[in-house]
Amino acid sequence: MKATAKAHTNIALIKYWGKRNEALILPTNNSLSITLDGFYSTTSVEFKEELTGDRFLLDDIAVEGEQFQRVTTFLDLVRDLAGKELFAEVASINAVPTAAGFASSASGFAALAAASSKAIGLNLSETELSRLTRQGSGSACRSVFGGFAEWQKGEEEDGSDSYAVPIAPQEHWDIRVAAVVLSSKMKKVSSRAGMRRTVETSPFFKGWVESIPQDLEVIKDGINNKDFEKVGAIAEANCLKMHATTLGANPPFTYWLDTTVSVMQTVQQLRDSGIPAYFTIDAGPNVKVLYLPEHEEKVQETLRTIPGVSDVKLSRVGQGISYLEDEKFV
Ligand code: FM0
């Protein structure tokens, strides 16, 4: 009863920001992302009769505490679905540089969901897998699919209609994402805590939620027609709106550092000089920049020279979940 799966992380162009049900991880709004080929997790899960508890190795190191709890709570869901009471050995390798500011939880939970459900003998459809993955970490449900994916928030109280659907496959459009890594770090408000505080206290949250359907309509049209400027402009505006909600929270907070703002301004200057580039930022200080292949050199060079930037990591549009034979475990 062993299986190994690989899942890539994703970057949201229309952000998931706010839950309507914390236990089931049900969002207040639809979101839309690009799956990225550069950053992924590979996870193997083996259910064994002789185990008396779950075990979790991350990058060859045994994990305990809160991170372990999230994994074992997730495995409980898988055991419930399968009607089996076996414990598991989980080994995960992250090719997601934490410094790049990507939530490894997206690729991590997608790979865990795929490997554990296969290992325990569940034969889930992609929709069922996405619904299961969502309960590990919301944004992870979009990583089941490659290319462009939308997480439909759903209406049902039990979450049965809350999962991701594919919008366009990996090969639809070669757009690129540069992850700009900053040298200074800050004490992080986790995305979980940040969105909770925003939902509970920010008067801007209502406006955020109300603005989503229109943003989604525009971006889907842009993706369909490969209209880079349309997609980039709406992604950047959506990101700014999300971050504006945190300034309205009580107590107020922001994920931005001074270098975050420098990178944002540099991207806007690139546009003024005729190079279409747009930024988006998740629940952290690092910036992701969208650009077209023909501008890769210029964009990379420009971003690297910004004071306070320590690295720039490039990525293309990536694929969805894949299952690996053990000998291919990387
Ligand atoms: O990815 O509480 O999935 O749409 O990255 O585990 O459900 O870590 F910018 C923030 C990620 C949210 C936007 O939230 O939260 C996005 C964010 P969980 P996640």
Side-chain angles (χ1 to χ4, degrees), residues 18-240:
K19 293 184 181 72
R20 67 177 201 275
N21 180 321
E22 297 226 348
L24 293 174
I25 310 196
L26 298 176
T28 45
N29 65 275
N30 288 24
S31 53
L32 187 147
S33 62
I34 310 178
T35 303
L36 298 176
D37 79 338
F39 312 111
Y40 55 89
S41 301
T42 311
T43 301
S44 94
V45 177
E46 183 167 16
F47 289 95
K48 290 180 171 173
E49 298 279 358
E50 64 267 31
L51 290 175
T52 53
D54 293 319
R55 285 191 207 147
F56 176 36
L57 289 180
L58 180 58
D59 296 327
D60 293 325
I61 296 166
V63 177
E64 286 164 12
E66 199 189 323
Q67 222 179 350
F68 172 77
Q69 267 314 318
R70 274 183 79 176
V71 167
T72 198
T73 304
F74 184 81
L75 290 171
D76 287 341
L77 293 172
V78 176
R79 284 185 275 262
D80 279 356
L81 267 182
K84 291 186 180 146
E85 285 189 13
L86 296 169
F87 290 111
E89 252 168 26
V90 178
S92 191
I93 304 286
N94 265 343
V96 184
T98 14
F102 282 108
S104 54
S105 66
S107 53
F109 274 101
L112 176 65
S116 60
S117 59
K118 185 165 186 229
I120 209 164
L122 290 164
N123 192 12
L124 302 182
S125 67
E126 284 180 320
T127 297
E128 290 166 328
L129 182 60
S130 177
R131 191 164 42 209
L132 171 66
T133 304
R134 186 201 80 223
Q135 295 172 76
S137 184
S139 56
C141 79
R142 300 182 306 238
S143 278
V144 168
F145 299 99
F148 299 76
E150 179 179 0
W151 175 8
Q152 300 184 333
K153 67 183 179 70
E155 303 294 337
E156 301 294 337
E157 275 180 28
D158 65 358
S160 53
D161 57 352
S162 187
Y163 48 78
V165 298
I167 292 297
Q170 181 184 20
E171 57 282 5
H172 170 68
W173 197 13
D174 182 13
I175 63 174
R176 308 276 169 95
V177 177
V180 184
V181 184
L182 311 192
S183 29
S184 45
K185 302 282 166 261
M186 74 196 296
K187 193 170 172 284
K188 206 169 124 75
V189 181
S190 71
S191 50
R192 216 159 252 206
M195 68 176 92
R196 181 184 306 135
R197 194 193 298 174
T198 304
V199 173
E200 287 171 357
T201 66
S202 179
F204 304 156
F205 186 68
K206 189 167 175 276
W208 157 255
V209 172
E210 283 170 2
S211 75
I212 298 292
Q214 172 71 15
D215 285 4
L216 271 169
E217 198 180 310
V218 176
I219 207 161
K220 284 198 267 190
D221 184 62
I223 292 168
N224 247 331
N225 296 307
K226 302 186 194 176
D227 182 338
F228 184 71
E229 279 155 40
K230 193 172 198 175
V231 168
I234 204 79
E236 190 171 298
N238 185 271
C239 152
L240 289 170

